[in-house]
Amino acid sequence: MRFVESVRIGLERSDFLRDIYDSVGRFPPYRRLVNSRVKKRIAEVEESRGYSLMIETSSVCNAKCTFCASLTMERKKGIMTDETFEAILSRVKSDGINPRWIDLFSTGEPLLDRSLFSRVRKLKAVFPRSRIRITTNFATATDSAIEEILSCGLDSVFISLNASRPETYARIMGLKYERTVQNVNRLLELRKARGSSLKVLLSMVMCPENAGEEAAFVRMWKNKVDSIRLQRVVDYGKFDVRSAYRARAALYPCSELFERIPILSNGDAALCCHDPEGIIGLNVRDHSLLDIFHSSRFKRFRDMHLRGEIAQLPMCRNCFGVHSNGAQWLFQNFE
């Protein structure tokens, strides 16, 4: 496990370290440093058109995660049609976008999309320099799916496990823990056998149901996978999740708003990965990606982030994206 991951885990688990971290975030010279980097990064992305994409090919999910907006989502769930997928590719090319990352997930489970692997192959053929990843609960991963994951061109797989005990896993996700762990171990075994460069990352959303399991989770997986992430549960602006973020913490602009273009399974644009309904109100079949990205609603959120008015935005104020104290801007290299 990398040093940076150890630091991140320490910050999420320790109130004492978090207090120190938040004190740094409130320090005026540090804030000026981050703000200067924000301006530079925004200019770099706009000049190169190096935006990342989030393409939700599936909004259907087999899990019932207690903290997920999928349970209350009002839009119709489904698999992205080939017409919508091709429209996205056409827009990317016509807008001259050079995607850094292409994330094939959002609210749903990507492995339920039967066209997922052919779509990865097509994206790799069209955008060979882009890095492609999925986030999955991995409960439905068969041996054939694992073989496809290792051969289709994916760069990384982020697996949401969220527990270290079967009963906790069932309570949070409504799935069978032993089956998923078997799938993860099979992926790691075949990755080693194939000499694959695929990155495997595991995450645990910290919520009341799994409180106290963080240490066991890290011990169980730290020597097996490439990265472990602990993150606090997000309220999406409408859930009562008893956020552990301090009210006095400094809020910093979220880099996702300036660097990533999310498209939902129906072709609607979303504000970010925590906008399950697609509040932008524009569809990729009717508008170019850059017109969507520079639309008035996107601009309103960005301007409020830059002006330091994040606390006025219910969707944003309790999200980990604005509680990173600028780490997104300082330590994520732009290529």
Side-chain angles (χ1 to χ4, degrees), residues 170-208:
R171 189 160 59 247
I172 293 175
M173 302 184 69
L175 301 171
K176 292 187 179 298
Y177 179 78
E178 294 84 357
R179 169 68 184 275
T180 303
V181 169
Q182 179 182 353
N183 292 344
V184 176
N185 285 326
R186 182 64 172 157
L187 172 64
L188 296 172
E189 173 190 335
L190 290 178
R191 179 182 71 159
K192 182 177 180 180
R194 304 288 186 273
S196 170
S197 61
L198 177 80
K199 299 297 183 185
V200 179
L201 309 94
L202 250 59
S203 70
M204 177 179 182
V205 174
M206 299 162 62
C207 57

Side-chain angles (χ1 to χ4, degrees), residues 59-61 78 131 155 161 166-167 180 182 188 201 206 210 221 228 291 295 304 320-321:
S59 53
V60 180
C61 192
R131 288 167 288 181
D155 293 280
L161 195 56
E167 56 270 30
T180 303
Q182 179 182 353
L188 296 172
L201 309 94
M206 299 162 62
N210 59 23
W221 296 105
I228 294 175
D291 284 347
S295 62
M304 291 184 72
F320 50 80

Side-chain angles (χ1 to χ4, degrees), residues 7 12 14 145 148 172 191 232 237 283:
V7 172
E12 294 299 330
S14 169
E148 286 275 45
I172 293 175
R191 179 182 71 159
R232 305 177 192 211
N283 193 286

Side-chain angles (χ1 to χ4, degrees), residues 50-293:
Y51 303 101
S52 294
L53 305 175
M54 171 172 274
I55 304 173
E56 181 194 63
T57 68
S58 169
S59 53
V60 180
C61 192
N62 56 307
K64 305 293 182 184
C65 298
T66 57
F67 49 75
C68 184
S70 176
L71 298 180
T72 59
M73 189 169 71
E74 296 180 6
R75 68 182 166 96
K76 185 178 179 180
K77 299 178 181 179
I79 305 298
M80 179 176 284
T81 65
D82 289 339
E83 176 191 10
T84 299
F85 184 76
E86 292 297 332
I88 295 170
L89 265 62
S90 177
R91 296 292 192 188
V92 175
K93 289 186 285 188
S94 63
D95 282 347
I97 294 172
N98 306 299
R100 296 179 59 221
W101 284 96
I102 302 177
D103 297 315
L104 297 179
F105 60 85
S106 185
T107 308
E109 168 52 50
L111 294 184
L112 297 182
D113 173 16
R114 295 182 180 179
S115 300
L116 175 67
F117 303 118
S118 63
R119 288 172 170 175
V120 172
R121 288 186 171 91
K122 183 156 194 174
L123 287 168
K124 272 296 184 183
V126 177
F127 309 109
R129 298 183 61 184
S130 300
R131 288 167 288 181
I132 303 177
R133 60 189 170 189
I134 61 171
T135 290
T136 168
N137 59 54
F138 219 58
T140 64
T142 60
D143 276 0
S144 61
I146 291 173
E147 291 285 2
E148 286 275 45
I149 287 170
L150 292 169
S151 63
C152 70
L154 276 173
D155 293 280
S156 57
V157 174
F158 217 126
I159 300 172
S160 300
L161 195 56
N162 299 318
S164 62
R165 299 189 301 160
E167 56 270 30
T168 307
Y169 183 79
R171 189 160 59 247
I172 293 175
M173 302 184 69
L175 301 171
K176 292 187 179 298
Y177 179 78
E178 294 84 357
R179 169 68 184 275
T180 303
V181 169
Q182 179 182 353
N183 292 344
V184 176
N185 285 326
R186 182 64 172 157
L187 172 64
L188 296 172
E189 173 190 335
L190 290 178
R191 179 182 71 159
K192 182 177 180 180
R194 304 288 186 273
S196 170
S197 61
L198 177 80
K199 299 297 183 185
V200 179
L201 309 94
L202 250 59
S203 70
M204 177 179 182
V205 174
M206 299 162 62
C207 57
E209 292 89 343
N210 59 23
E213 294 189 26
E214 301 91 347
F217 185 86
V218 173
R219 284 196 306 270
M220 186 180 305
W221 296 105
K222 67 179 181 179
N223 295 321
K224 292 185 175 183
V225 299
D226 298 288
S227 180
I228 294 175
R229 177 168 298 179
L230 304 183
Q231 66 184 49
R232 305 177 192 211
V233 66
V234 174
D235 66 8
Y236 296 90
K238 58 182 180 179
F239 296 155
D240 180 10
V241 296
R242 291 179 284 175
S243 174
Y245 290 116
R246 310 293 201 277
R248 64 181 182 276
L251 302 182
Y252 283 80
C254 179
S255 64
E256 298 291 321
L257 281 178
F258 300 87
E259 298 185 6
R260 183 156 70 171
I261 307 174
I263 303 296
L264 303 176
S265 59
N266 59 7
D268 286 346
L271 182 72
C272 64
C273 57
H274 291 117
D275 172 19
E277 304 295 350
I279 66 171
I280 299 301
L282 301 174
N283 193 286
V284 71
R285 291 189 295 271
D286 306 315
H287 302 272
S288 78
L289 289 176
L290 291 184
D291 284 347
I292 289 171
F293 197 64

